[in-house]
Amino acid sequence: MKLSFYIAKRYLISKKTQNVINIISWVSVIGVAIGTMALITILSVFNGFDNLIRSMFNSFDPDIKIEAAHGKTFSPDHENIKKIIRQNGVAYYAEVIEDNALIRHKDRQHVARIKGVNEHFTKVCGIDSMMVRGKFILQDKGGNYAVLGSGVAYYLAATPGITDPLNIYAPRRNLSASDMENAFNILPIYPSGIFSIQQEFDSKYVIVPLSFARELFDYPTNITSLEIKLQKGADIDKIQQNMKLILGNEFTIKNRFQQNELLFKVMNSEKLAIYIILSFILFIASFNILGSLTMLIIDKKQDIGILQSLGANKHTIRNIFLFEGWAISILGALVGMALGFIICMLQQKYGFVKLNSNGGSFIIDAYPVKMQLLDFIIVFFTVLLIGFFAAWYPVKFMTKKYLSLR
């Protein structure tokens, strides 16, 4: 084993004048290194986008959201709901009324999702940190105010400080057929601020006081959901399971992942697809290893004859070329991971690869990057696996064909 490894190393890094086979071997190393670097860099960019999106959603979505399994609303005075609020690990909770309504401002109108919240809402989520204009104020000196998503504000041409209020229309509940003239509740409200999180939220949501939403939607006591913020370090899975035991089948209890399950599944699928595509490209690049080993076996025919005369068996000779292929893969993997690490570090620090943002429409200027140790481990073993098969074919078959090793 040591003899095979020593000879393989000499073939790869011999100090003698390099021939075409040595050049092809180093080209193989470069090809593997570039493929490895691309894998590390792109996976790290995907991690960066995943982390960015999660942080944005965390600014709006609570740790745990409780809704009625059947029907639209439920009473916050429900006995089991009170048990949930008092459960260990619960830091804050916000009662929420959420429904669709029509908003009109001057000659513009837009259907939005009105979300009425109580005073604890900013403690449950971090939406107040995502304000791009104005302030997160829902009530001041007895008056009600609305915080608009940037998309809603754009559609309505509404900004904080406007003199004409937003008029919000919502169908009355329990409306009789004889009173169609009063089919809608219509309430005025002024915007106090604009937030920007993600397009789905920005073009959809308007945050208003809970009391305003109760009057608008005719929900004097009930709520549509209960949003919960857990204490730092709390075991979310354990608390969620305890909540399910308490509430039973009457309520649905979702953590942050479950609230946006489809989005995160799509992101994970995209990352897996990119990994498979780049691994295939790396596999194609590894054909250089196959070619260089095939030519090396033919070129070293005389050396192999000498080794056979000295008593080297078929297994020992084949190990020489197998180690040669592995050495190319390992060296390429290490160089590629080092280059990928350097590129990611430079991108994190300087952000030299910019997003094509027209007029600063993105919340970030450069591609986000987040390196994960698991990605480096997976990529390294992927390269080794590809390198093994790229080396195994010429060693297994070409030696039989050209050297009659039986």
Side-chain angles (χ1 to χ4, degrees):
M1 187 69 70
K2 289 183 178 180
L3 175 64
S4 300
F5 179 77
Y6 176 77
I7 296 174
K9 182 180 69 173
R10 294 289 297 173
Y11 283 162
L12 182 64
I13 56 174
S14 174
K15 294 182 181 180
K16 294 181 179 180
T17 303
Q18 299 289 311
N19 56 31
V20 67
I21 297 173
N22 299 112
I23 294 173
I24 293 174
S25 296
W26 283 105
V27 169
S28 302
V29 172
I30 295 172
V32 173
I34 292 174
T36 304
M37 178 188 67
L39 260 174
I40 290 294
T41 304
I42 294 179
L43 290 179
S44 297
V45 170
F46 261 88
N47 294 336
F49 276 114
D50 180 76
N51 187 63
L52 175 65
I53 291 174
R54 286 179 185 272
S55 66
M56 290 191 301
F57 276 71
N58 290 351
S59 299
F60 194 85
D61 293 328
D63 291 334
I64 291 179
K65 187 174 184 178
I66 300 174
E67 296 176 301
H70 307 286
K72 199 170 188 179
T73 64
F74 61 92
S75 173
D77 296 325
H78 192 287
E79 181 180 352
N80 289 335
I81 292 296
K82 291 182 177 180
K83 290 181 182 179
I84 291 296
I85 294 171
R86 294 192 298 265
Q87 185 177 354
N88 290 334
V90 174
Y92 302 100
Y93 67 92
E95 296 177 358
V96 175
I97 294 177
E98 188 174 324
D99 210 338
N100 294 325
L102 175 69
I103 308 177
R104 296 191 64 183
H105 178 236
K106 295 183 178 179
D107 59 342
R108 299 192 178 210
Q109 60 185 26
H110 180 68
V111 176
R113 190 77 171 170
I114 307 300
K115 186 168 185 174
V117 300
N118 65 10
E119 67 276 10
H120 299 302
F121 183 67
T122 54
K123 296 179 180 178
V124 171
C125 69
I127 192 172
D128 53 333
S129 64
M130 305 300 289
M131 302 298 294
V132 294
R133 192 166 184 180
K135 297 180 180 180
F136 191 92
I137 299 173
L138 297 181
Q139 288 182 316
D140 185 43
K141 298 179 181 178
N144 293 321
Y145 294 91
V147 177
L148 314 179
S150 58
V152 177
Y154 171 79
Y155 293 134
L156 297 174
T159 59
I162 58 175
T163 56
D164 296 315
L166 308 177
N167 292 305
I168 305 181
Y169 296 71
R172 290 180 182 272
R173 299 175 66 233
N174 304 319
L175 179 68
S176 64
S178 61
D179 192 24
M180 295 303 294
E181 292 183 359
N182 299 313
F184 291 92
N185 287 326
I186 306 173
L187 296 179
I189 196 168
Y190 289 92
S192 64
I194 299 173
F195 67 85
S196 179
I197 298 175
Q198 195 262 351
Q199 184 177 4
E200 180 184 355
F201 296 141
D202 298 346
S203 61
K204 181 179 179 180
Y205 278 97
V206 173
I207 313 299
V208 299
L210 183 63
S211 58
F212 181 91
R214 288 193 184 281
E215 184 179 356
L216 179 67
F217 296 115
D218 291 331
Y219 291 135
T221 57
N222 283 8
I223 59 175
T224 59
S225 65
L226 187 71
E227 300 188 353
I228 295 175
K229 171 72 173 180
L230 300 181
Q231 295 175 356
K232 188 176 182 179
D235 189 336
I236 295 179
D237 293 334
K238 183 178 180 180
I239 292 175
Q240 185 181 12
Q241 190 61 36
N242 290 338
M243 289 180 176
K244 288 180 179 179
L245 292 175
I246 295 172
L247 297 177
N249 296 326
E250 295 183 57
F251 298 88
T252 60
I253 305 163
K254 296 181 180 180
N255 56 33
R256 277 202 174 110
F257 174 80
Q258 292 166 337
Q259 291 169 50
N260 301 282
E261 188 172 5
L262 179 60
L263 173 68
F264 291 125
K265 283 185 176 180
V266 168
M267 289 185 62
N268 290 334
S269 298
E270 288 178 345
K271 184 177 178 180
L272 177 61
I274 289 295
Y275 166 76
I276 293 173
I277 292 170
L278 290 179
S279 295
F280 180 74
I281 295 173
L282 186 60
F283 175 76
I284 299 299
S286 296
F287 274 94
N288 287 327
I289 300 176
L290 188 150
S292 64
L293 287 180
T294 299
M295 288 188 288
L296 183 64
I297 290 170
I298 298 172
D299 183 63
K300 302 301 181 182
K301 190 173 182 179
Q302 184 177 358
D303 292 359
I304 292 172
I306 295 173
L307 290 171
Q308 285 180 311
S309 300
L310 294 173
N313 57 29
K314 178 175 64 176
H315 181 72
T316 300
I317 293 174
R318 282 181 170 170
N319 277 344
I320 293 172
F321 301 103
L322 191 61
F323 286 151
E324 173 88 1
W326 280 353
I328 292 173
S329 299
I330 292 172
L331 185 58
L334 294 176
V335 171
M337 287 193 297
L339 290 175
F341 177 82
I342 292 171
I343 290 174
C344 291
M345 287 294 294
L346 292 174
Q347 179 67 12
Q348 283 181 334
K349 187 172 183 179
Y350 300 107
F352 56 88
V353 181
K354 302 292 185 180
L355 288 165
N356 187 19
S357 174
N358 296 323
S361 58
F362 294 155
I363 61 173
I364 53 174
D365 297 326
Y367 280 92
V369 172
K370 181 182 179 182
M371 290 180 284
Q372 293 182 351
L373 178 61
L374 181 61
D375 287 340
F376 281 82
I377 295 173
I378 291 174
V379 169
F380 181 74
F381 282 102
T382 298
V383 175
L384 288 189
L385 184 63
I386 293 173
F388 170 78
F389 285 109
W392 176 80
Y393 178 82
V395 170
K396 178 70 176 179
F397 294 99
M398 297 303 165
T399 50
K400 284 185 178 180
K401 182 175 181 181
Y402 293 104
L403 304 176
S404 299
L405 289 175
R406 293 183 176 88

